[in-house]
Amino acid sequence: MKLQTIIRDQDRLFIGDQVPEKYKSDHFISDVAKVHAVALPISTEEVAELVQYANQESLAIIARGEGTGVAGAQVPIKGDELIIDVHKMNRILELDEETMTLIVEPGVKNGDIQEYAESRGYFYPPDPGSKHSSIGGNVATNAGGMRAVKYGTTRDYVREMEVVLSDGSVVSLGSLNIKNSSGYDLKDLFIGSEGTLGITTKIKLKMLPLPQYKQSALMAFATLSDATDAVLTILKLGVDPTALELFERETIEYSEKFMNLALQSQKGQAYVLMTIDGNDNEAIIGKIALVEDMLSNDALDIIPLPNAEEEKRHGVYVTIF
Ligand SMILES: Cc1cc2nc3c(=O)[nH]c(=O)nc-3n(C[C@H](O)[C@H](O)[C@H](O)COP(=O)(O)OP(=O)(O)OC[C@H]3O[C@@H](n4cnc5c(N)ncnc54)[C@H](O)[C@@H]3O)c2cc1C
């Protein structure tokens, strides 16, 4: 078997010197080792055949999505690896409104899933900062994001997945049943395994109803320690925050300089950005007021932030500058 008989389109196969530079590096490392070839399959069958080819030629395999990882996991390290880049397997296959699940191929971008879900009144919570990363990569890294405080990580939203194993066989892991306690939990073993156990080729994701309202507040504190204490206070209040993002003045100064804008609070050395969402706007306003009340002696500033329209379309990003 030859690679060219598996991947017949020239623009989906790069061998030896034809391999583009982007496949040899991430943000931190580059040119560690050469690549045997890069193949871009468009079906599970092609992925399975590529894995069989790698076995036949004794090649190591690297799975790759959008290549946003910064831990070197999608970059060759031994030399002569076969990179299987699944980002062209990028179809949203089926929204099942009865079970509130969405079946996608691994190359669909996180931001596209969020947008698709929201346009139909559903919500896909995992929101890693890299909106252009692939769902296959999100599953392989168990990506989280700011909303993980309330909604958890990618693991919590994978109902079933199709995986090509190292011998080229195709298996289905997981189940639609919430109580599924017999045998080993292989689905959860694969999630977060960075492509070391197999290549994900299809994923059935859990969707939630889209919350109707959200409100954010920026809080400033004299010290980092005050800010971390405030986070614990908020968690104990039972207000169920969607996001609690902590950042220091020193890091904010880089953004202020880069964007030529000033953070809305210039007080203190540390900040907490809090978001609360839900379907009862009065309840959300009440929860924000409770937090303000509890932290009135500890915070230097508590600034309610403009919401909804002014928020970026995805994630819990708000106008903090
Ligand atoms: C700006 C930025 C912000 C980020 N913010 C967050 C954040 O807030 N929270 C968070 O948790 N993470 C964050 N990340 C990390 C992010 O979650 C990962 O970079 C992303 O999930 C990887 O997806 P990818 O498609 O780019 O995968 P790649 O970078 O291509 O690959 C990453 C890993 O996944 C494996 N892989 C990819 N596709 C498959 C597949 N189909 N089957 C099996 N294995 C596969 C690869 O082998 C590799 O081990 C951030 C990254 C960036 C660059």
Side-chain angles (χ1 to χ4, degrees):
M1 189 172 25
K2 286 179 104 184
L3 268 178
Q4 289 88 341
T5 59
I6 303 170
I7 305 290
R8 292 175 185 274
D9 303 335
Q10 283 184 5
D11 61 342
R12 296 197 288 119
L13 182 63
F14 306 101
I15 299 176
D17 293 341
Q18 299 170 338
V19 172
E21 285 305 307
K22 71 169 188 178
Y23 288 102
K24 300 172 193 165
S25 61
D26 68 10
H27 283 286
F28 293 109
I29 58 168
S30 59
D31 274 331
V32 178
K34 61 187 177 130
V35 186
H36 174 80
V38 176
L40 290 88
I42 49 172
S43 69
T44 302
E45 292 71 29
E46 284 186 352
V47 174
E49 285 185 39
L50 287 166
V51 170
Q52 283 159 7
Y53 169 84
N55 281 334
Q56 172 196 299
E57 300 296 319
S58 300
L59 298 171
I61 298 168
I62 298 176
R64 184 178 167 111
E66 284 293 332
T68 67
V70 289
Q74 73 280 16
V75 179
I77 49 166
K78 282 174 59 189
D80 279 344
E81 280 113 330
L82 172 65
I83 296 182
I84 301 180
D85 175 346
V86 298
H87 89 268
K88 283 187 185 290
M89 295 174 68
N90 59 4
R91 291 175 302 161
I92 293 179
L93 296 173
E94 186 189 344
L95 172 67
D96 181 347
E97 306 219 30
E98 201 173 320
T99 58
M100 286 172 65
T101 53
L102 182 70
I103 303 176
V104 294
E105 290 186 323
V108 182
K109 292 179 186 169
N110 176 289
D112 291 344
I113 291 174
Q114 292 185 5
E115 200 170 317
Y116 180 91
E118 284 174 31
S119 71
R120 285 154 179 82
Y122 294 101
F123 181 42
Y124 178 68
D127 65 334
S130 50
K131 297 279 172 282
H132 54 290
S133 59
S134 73
I135 187 68
N138 292 175
V139 171
T141 58
N142 188 25
M146 280 172 73
R147 296 193 287 232
V149 181
K150 176 172 177 180
Y151 291 105
T153 59
T154 303
R155 184 187 300 284
D156 300 300
Y157 295 88
V158 178
R159 285 295 190 84
E160 290 175 26
M161 53 200 272
E162 178 188 85
V163 179
V164 175
L165 300 177
S166 60
D167 62 353
S169 58
V170 182
V171 293
S172 178
L173 307 172
S175 151
L176 262 187
N177 298 334
I178 291 170
K179 182 175 187 317
N180 181 21
S181 51
S182 55
Y184 296 109
D185 192 343
L186 294 177
K187 171 177 73 69
D188 274 354
L189 181 66
F190 273 71
I191 297 169
S193 67
E194 297 265 4
T196 55
L197 300 176
I199 302 181
T200 307
T201 45
K202 215 175 278 171
I203 306 149
K204 186 179 272 188
L205 295 166
K206 176 169 91 174
M207 299 283 123
L208 299 182
L210 183 64
Q212 287 177 41
Y213 304 100
K214 55 187 163 190
Q215 180 70 51
S216 300
L218 176 69
M219 297 169 247
F221 298 90
T223 65
L224 180 61
S225 169
D226 288 349
T228 52
D229 286 348
V231 166
L232 296 177
T233 304
I234 294 167
L235 289 174
K236 283 179 190 163
L237 279 178
V239 295
D240 203 12
T242 312
L244 280 172
E245 198 78 356
L246 186 142
F247 38 93
E248 292 180 82
R249 168 115 300 270
E250 202 183 334
T251 47
I252 272 299
E253 278 165 8
Y254 288 104
S255 303
E256 288 183 326
K257 210 180 274 176
F258 180 72
M259 297 167 75
N260 201 21
L261 289 170
L263 188 74
Q264 291 196 24
S265 172
Q266 290 294 310
K267 295 180 186 166
Q269 291 304 311
Y271 306 90
V272 174
L273 172 62
M274 177 185 73
T275 299
I276 296 178
D277 69 2
N279 289 327
D280 182 344
N281 204 27
E282 292 301 310
I284 295 173
I285 292 166
K287 287 177 178 182
I288 300 260
L290 178 63
V291 171
E292 279 179 335
D293 202 32
M294 290 303 290
L295 296 178
S296 58
N297 291 329
D298 305 311
L300 302 176
D301 255 344
I302 299 182
I303 302 171
L305 294 168
N307 238 337
E309 305 76 31
E310 290 182 52
E311 278 190 21
K312 281 194 182 169
R313 176 124 179 73
H314 304 297
V316 290
Y317 294 108
V318 290
T319 314
I320 58 173
F321 289 98

